[in-house]
Amino acid sequence: MTESPASSSLQTRLTTTFPQTASLSRQDLEALACDDYPASTLQQQQQQQQQQTESITPNQAYFEAFIHSLPQTQSLYRAHADLLRTNEAKASRNLERQAPLESLRSETQQLFDRAKALEAEWATKELQLNEAQKRFNPSALHFHLTQSASQLNDRSEQLANAFVEGLPYPRDDSGTAEEELVDEASFVRRYKQQRLLYHKRRFVADRWARNQVHWTD
């Protein structure tokens, strides 16, 4: 006579500690206690119990299909795909711009090298510029103006002496003209021009010396 399984009618410390024994009959338990219980039977029962446990767990493929069917998941996938396409498009545009950028970089480097070379020459050019500008500073201009007025005064006096004494005098003020006697009409015209220009320059030079002349650009 075979008794019903112990798990259906009896809960003991043995079945609590070893749940695998809960489905064994009394004869099986006695055989197990006497080392007569076949190991294959115990392993088979353990495999059956494991299969029952696995049958309770959802199928992985079904679970993934369920997750992928959710609107939130599909929205995330679409956003991911859009970002991927956007990145690929940007990468393609960057590759298209690579050649022009390399050309621009080379041109920029050439211009930079030229600028550095010009910067190195600036010190010498600046000295030359300062030397050339010395003729145009206020003190130099005032000196040239005063000197020019003095020369006009001297030439007008020489013209007057030549006319009074009847001596030959250059026909013009070019410095290479031939000399001839100065007639009255020519003397009056040339003397008047020279004295007028002399007094203008002398007047400006005197006012400049008194800081009464202000030049504008």
Side-chain angles (χ1 to χ4, degrees), residues 28 31-32 35-43:
D28 293 335
L32 182 62
D35 294 334
D36 294 336
Y37 190 78
S40 59
T41 303
L42 181 61
Q43 292 177 357

